[in-house]
Amino acid sequence: MRIVLTILFTVSSIALLAQSEYDQKTISVKRTAQPVKIDGDMNDIAWAEAEPAGNFWQNFPFDTLPAGQQTEIYMAYDDTYLYVATKCYSVGDDYVVPSLRRDYSAGGSDNITLLFDPFTDRTNAFVFGLNPYGVLREALISNGGAQNSRDWDESWDSKWFGAAKIHEGYWLAEFAIPFTTLRFKEGSQKWYFNSYRFDTQNNENSSLTHIPRNQIIINLAYMTPMEWEEPLKKSGSNVSLIPFITGATTRDFEENPTQSDGNFNIGGDAKIAVTSGLNLDLTINPDFSQVEVDQQVTNLDRFEIFFPERRQFFLENADLFGSFGTRNINPFFSRRIGIVEDTAAERNIENTIFYGARLSGKLDNNWRLGVLNMQTAKDQQNGLPGFNYTVTALQRKLFSRSNLGLIFVNRQAIDKDSTDLFNPYNRIIGLDYNLASSDNRWTGKFFFHKSFTPGISSQDWAYGTQLEYNVRLFRLRWRHDHVADDYNAEAGFVRRTNIIRMQPQARLQFYPTTGPVNQHGPGIETDITVRPDSGRIDHALEFNWFISFRNRSRLTFRLQNSFTRLLDEFDPTRTDATPLPSFTEYNYTGVRIDYNSDRRKAFAFSLRPYFGQFFNGRRINLAGNFSYRLQPFGSIALNYSYNRISLPEPYATASLFLIGPRFDITFTRNLFLTTFIQYNNQIDNININARFQWRFQPVSDFFLVYTDNYTTDFNVKNRAIVAKLTYWLNL
């Protein structure tokens, strides 16, 4: 007993000392009198005078040891830039760099990433990263980076400078981030900061701040204080103009095969810093022709598919507007603006935007404000009036990391002649409380939204509750949503109304210290949907076992049982075959296996087979991805999905193919070519999208985009070629 008590006391003391050590770690940022040359050599006086921060902790494969290959962080600043240098020690120089494209994916590659929280709320952060070849990436983190993909936005683009160089036994990265790119409170002298590094040769993820393995590495609950030598001043004039010119030629072979339509367009954006934390974004006649096409999916569901926003204007502070409710009960979804869903053809069509304005950012350490106004044009061809969209969001920080948010959404038809087909207005007012404890053990959301539509005065609300408890050994989650029958969010995304949905989940997490398995454990996930007037209409029950291997491959076994009561007739193949009749019930069970190989290898793949029952028949599904890395000049990938659905007569039996080869070539760090081909026989479409990009100045680009659509028997539907030139001008 004495020995046991001694061991426990020693381990506890070490843990407390370690906790104290990384809790008390602080980075000092000293002013430099001379600008730093960004070249990856660290020969400047500023680095000799800076105090390095180090002692990185492992996050993978363990979280109880210091990093095997350490990293040192140096910081300095002047009136214009925040300078950061990182020295990344390594066991060799066989680095994994998948491509030279900006905004690369960090997983499976060598890189160093910096996270800045200027308002010390541990809820929002700016992200900047470099790899050993000096390729840049940036992103935004919102909602604390808890556990959700909605918290990470890598589509955000900003103007900054970076360089890296490989030396013997280590590689160096240098950053110069303009204060005009960051949002901060004037006079502030303390930020929060963290840095994490992926080291493929040592098979290690590490971070400056110690982060438990049950939390993801971007979690903002775990940050290090960053103290400036002097209070920060306003960075001076901060106005940027981003004009563009486009030229396009299109041809619709189905409507008029002999006529080509030409189009010339000019417009632009402006970014104006109202304060150091509040930014005004303006756009006139915006054009998003360079945005990459959505990746198609085989739709075997009865409801609309969610595709994320990719357009640059809507991205900064997007969480302030778009994170209310949940993904499936969202009062404002920015893709509703300027893009109209054609439900008959299952495609999206563009609706011209005249102008837009967005005021967003931090008022102080506790308050965030967002105001958005957009105006779209009347579209006679598709029978659409002009709409004005106004969104106002206000968020107040509570306690250490929680917040209370209020949103108001107004969609107003301005063409009175069209109000017989469209509601003259639709409005939403909502209140959300987002819970995040200081250590992120407790997270959750509680919301209530009410819609206002002419002629509807009751049953027009939605509310939800979500609560999660996450510790090292287990994770528990409860989610409960209720969407009333007449809740109407025309500028939002709501998959179903008149439902009550419950989703309890539980998972155990084990961490072996020896052997090939790094983490594993069983989980139970349930999803039950009922109608208040008719009882259960859907359920999905799943027992799974997740295995993460030390070589970074992952394997999950899933046993799934589903129940569906159709309220309307439905063809599960969505091929216009004989539908299953309404008011029929189905209970079906299947097995699914998910496997992802080690992405550090030049050849990587994923497999997701499913075998089992499907409604009143059977389904075999083979899906996944193959990729081959042509380091560092790009990759060749193939996404695939095959569904064999066999239902008894007179219902459908179909073989559905979705094949998407992708060629991503990066000639240099400023010259890219992406070609994406998608064959989808479910919607009888072959899509070819090729995009050439030349970044001739920071955040200034020339794009050449070619798009073709065919039927699956290779009859051309439509074709377009677009050239676009954008230039970022600082005033």
Side-chain angles (χ1 to χ4, degrees):
M1 179 61 68
R2 288 180 180 177
I3 294 174
V4 171
L5 290 175
T6 301
I7 293 173
L8 289 175
F9 176 78
T10 303
V11 171
S12 300
S13 300
I14 293 173
L16 288 172
L17 288 172
Q19 178 77 31
S20 175
E21 178 185 350
Y22 62 70
D23 277 351
Q24 294 179 6
K25 188 184 301 182
T26 300
I27 298 178
S28 299
V29 192
K30 294 186 177 181
R31 173 177 285 277
T32 179
Q34 298 180 0
V36 174
K37 184 179 180 181
I38 304 301
D39 55 10
D41 279 326
M42 286 187 65
N43 291 327
D44 300 87
I45 297 176
W47 304 136
E49 297 177 345
E51 300 176 7
N55 299 321
F56 271 52
W57 285 85
Q58 281 190 25
N59 178 262
F60 177 93
F62 305 106
D63 64 354
T64 56
L65 298 173
Q69 295 298 313
Q70 280 294 329
T71 305
E72 296 173 357
I73 305 285
Y74 300 78
M75 291 191 185
Y77 74 105
D78 56 24
D79 290 336
T80 306
Y81 293 99
L82 164 61
Y83 302 104
V84 184
T86 65
K87 189 173 185 179
C88 306
Y89 292 93
S90 179
V91 294
D93 58 2
D94 187 18
Y95 301 106
V96 175
V97 179
S99 79
L100 301 176
R101 178 181 294 278
R102 189 175 180 131
D103 292 335
Y104 56 87
S105 175
S109 67
D110 284 277
N111 60 88
I112 183 76
T113 300
L114 314 178
L115 285 65
F116 296 97
D117 174 10
F119 284 90
T120 65
D121 59 10
R122 294 188 294 165
T123 303
N124 298 275
F126 297 92
V127 179
F128 303 91
L130 280 168
N131 65 22
Y133 285 16
V135 184
L136 283 64
R137 76 176 188 133
E138 64 270 284
L140 298 174
I141 297 177
S142 58
N143 301 314
Q147 297 282 357
N148 196 314
S149 60
R150 294 176 74 188
D151 300 343
W152 176 273
D153 183 5
E154 63 184 15
S155 300
W156 175 66
D157 218 355
S158 65
K159 191 171 184 178
W160 61 284
F161 307 92
K165 185 174 289 188
I166 297 173
H167 302 261
E168 185 175 354
Y170 62 93
W171 61 278
L172 294 176
E174 289 184 303
F175 303 71
I177 305 170
F179 284 110
T180 54
T181 293
L182 300 164
R183 307 283 179 256
F184 59 91
K185 182 181 178 182
E186 184 179 355
S188 61
Q189 202 165 356
K190 177 183 175 182
W191 292 8
Y192 279 142
F193 170 79
N194 195 19
S195 175
Y196 63 84
R197 176 187 169 194
F198 290 179
D199 181 356
T200 63
Q201 296 174 97
N202 207 42
N203 193 24
E204 180 180 79
N205 298 347
S206 60
S207 60
L208 178 65
T209 309
H210 188 275
I211 301 175
R213 291 169 69 181
N214 61 296
Q215 304 287 350
I216 60 177
I217 205 164
I218 66 169
N219 197 306
L220 302 183
Y222 304 90
M223 302 289 280
T224 295
M226 171 181 163
E227 296 183 349
W228 302 87
E229 185 177 7
E230 300 172 357
L232 292 176
K233 300 177 182 178
K234 187 176 180 180
S235 54
S237 175
N238 187 356
V239 178
S240 300
L241 299 180
I242 314 169
F244 74 84
I245 300 174
T246 62
T249 178
T250 62
R251 180 179 292 186
D252 190 330
F253 288 86
E254 295 177 321
E255 295 292 331
N256 193 343
T258 61
Q259 179 180 339
S260 295
D261 296 322
N263 181 45
F264 175 80
N265 201 10
I266 186 170
D269 298 344
K271 291 180 171 292
I272 304 169
V274 179
T275 68
S276 297
L278 199 62
N279 202 68
L280 175 64
D281 291 273
L282 305 172
T283 186
I284 298 176
N285 197 26
D287 175 89
F288 307 108
S289 56
Q290 82 281 7
V291 176
E292 189 173 273
V293 296
D294 291 314
Q295 183 173 324
Q296 296 179 23
V297 297
T298 300
N299 187 6
L300 304 179
D301 207 345
R302 292 161 286 163
F303 313 108
E304 181 183 3
I305 297 174
F306 180 91
F307 290 103
E309 178 64 83
R310 298 175 183 271
R311 298 171 295 177
Q312 184 68 27
F313 178 80
F314 295 99
L315 296 180
E316 186 171 349
N317 288 310
D319 71 291
L320 186 56
F321 300 96
S323 63
F324 283 82
T326 66
R327 173 166 287 187
N328 292 331
I329 313 172
N330 193 337
F332 175 67
F333 180 40
S334 60
R335 280 190 67 138
R336 297 290 188 219
I337 302 176
I339 299 179
V340 180
E341 183 193 11
D342 185 343
T343 55
E346 295 188 345
R347 65 188 180 95
N348 291 327
I349 56 177
E350 291 189 12
N351 181 216
T352 302
I353 300 175
F354 282 149
Y355 63 82
R358 183 185 67 234
L359 179 69
S360 62
K362 283 275 197 175
L363 299 176
D364 57 29
N365 284 3
N366 295 317
W367 289 96
R368 296 178 73 201
L369 172 68
V371 180
L372 172 73
N373 184 268
M374 306 289 292
Q375 179 64 52
T376 65
K378 179 179 179 180
D379 188 342
Q380 293 181 339
Q381 181 178 353
N382 294 288
L384 293 172
F387 283 103
N388 182 268
Y389 298 82
T390 300
V391 185
T392 301
L394 186 65
Q395 192 179 87
R396 164 72 185 188
K397 178 185 174 184
L398 298 175
F399 312 114
S400 61
R401 300 177 61 237
S402 303
N403 61 71
L404 183 69
L406 177 69
I407 190 170
F408 173 74
V409 183
N410 182 52
R411 184 189 192 222
Q412 191 91 26
I414 62 171
D415 183 356
K416 295 182 179 180
D417 297 334
S418 300
T419 54
D420 56 334
L421 300 176
F422 296 90
N423 289 317
Y425 66 84
N426 172 249
R427 294 164 187 153
I428 300 281
I429 188 167
L431 187 69
D432 283 37
Y433 175 69
N434 296 293
L435 169 67
S437 65
S438 179
D439 59 2
N440 210 61
R441 289 190 177 190
W442 289 97
T443 57
K445 174 185 280 286
F446 310 91
F447 69 89
F448 180 85
H449 301 159
K450 178 173 171 53
S451 64
F452 299 87
T453 308
I456 299 175
S457 58
S458 63
Q459 298 296 309
D460 54 357
W461 40 261
Y463 68 82
T465 300
Q466 178 177 309
L467 189 63
E468 181 172 313
Y469 183 67
N470 183 6
V471 292
R472 188 177 185 84
L473 181 60
F474 63 88
R475 185 169 74 241
L476 301 175
R477 180 182 179 188
W478 170 265
R479 177 174 163 184
H480 180 106
D481 300 324
H482 188 177
V483 185
D485 193 19
D486 293 324
Y487 179 70
N488 182 27
E490 295 179 5
F493 184 90
V494 181
R495 297 189 76 191
R496 308 174 73 176
T497 60
N498 193 25
I499 61 165
I500 298 173
R501 186 179 182 188
M502 293 160 285
Q503 295 176 280
Q505 299 178 9
R507 173 170 297 283
L508 290 175
Q509 302 170 140
F510 304 115
Y511 306 91
T513 57
T514 59
V517 175
N518 181 256
Q519 178 184 345
H520 70 98
I524 298 176
E525 300 181 10
T526 61
D527 189 343
I528 303 169
T529 303
V530 302
R531 280 206 162 184
D533 54 356
S534 56
R536 182 183 56 151
I537 56 175
D538 286 283
H539 82 225
L541 308 178
E542 176 180 293
F543 172 79
N544 58 60
W545 200 290
F546 168 77
I547 305 172
S548 173
F549 295 95
R550 201 148 292 168
N551 68 356
R552 295 183 182 264
S553 61
R554 291 172 291 148
L555 178 65
T556 305
F557 298 95
R558 306 177 190 271
L559 176 63
Q560 301 172 328
N561 175 262
S562 300
F563 168 82
T564 302
R565 176 149 57 96
L566 294 177
L567 303 179
D568 299 292
E569 61 180 25
F570 173 63
D571 169 23
T573 67
R574 299 179 74 98
T575 58
D576 296 326
T578 301
L580 299 173
S582 57
F583 302 108
T584 52
E585 297 182 355
Y586 306 89
N587 196 304
Y588 42 103
T589 301
V591 175
R592 177 177 160 183
I593 301 172
D594 293 359
Y595 177 76
N596 293 274
S597 72
D598 182 359
R599 286 194 292 164
R600 296 175 301 161
K601 305 297 184 182
F603 176 74
F605 64 94
S606 66
L607 299 172
R608 297 190 303 274
Y610 171 90
F611 308 92
Q613 301 168 322
F614 188 62
F615 287 90
N616 58 344
R618 301 192 68 80
R619 174 188 171 209
I620 297 175
N621 172 232
L622 299 174
N625 169 276
F626 296 98
S627 66
Y628 184 75
R629 183 176 75 246
L630 305 169
Q631 183 168 330
F633 300 109
S635 62
I636 301 172
L638 175 68
N639 298 310
Y640 65 92
S641 175
Y642 167 73
N643 281 277
R644 175 64 180 177
I645 298 174
S646 302
L647 304 182
E649 294 287 349
Y651 309 114
T653 293
S655 294
L656 305 178
F657 293 89
L658 177 58
I659 302 173
R662 179 188 179 98
F663 306 90
D664 194 350
I665 307 300
T666 56
F667 302 103
T668 70
R669 283 179 289 180
N670 299 310
L671 206 61
F672 319 119
L673 175 64
T674 302
T675 302
F676 195 19
I677 304 171
Q678 299 184 91
Y679 173 94
N680 188 344
N681 72 338
Q682 186 183 45
I683 61 174
D684 188 27
N685 193 72
I686 300 174
N687 171 255
I688 301 174
N689 181 262
R691 187 178 69 158
F692 173 81
Q693 179 183 357
W694 173 33
R695 174 148 287 187
F696 57 90
Q697 292 286 345
V699 209
S700 301
D701 301 278
F702 171 74
F703 294 95
L704 186 63
V705 182
Y706 171 81
T707 302
D708 234 341
N709 285 284
Y710 299 85
T711 64
T712 50
D713 53 4
F714 296 99
N715 292 319
V716 64
K717 295 180 179 180
N718 52 69
R719 180 174 296 150
I721 301 176
V722 179
K724 180 175 181 179
L725 180 69
T726 67
Y727 186 76
W728 186 298
L729 177 65
N730 288 329
L731 301 183

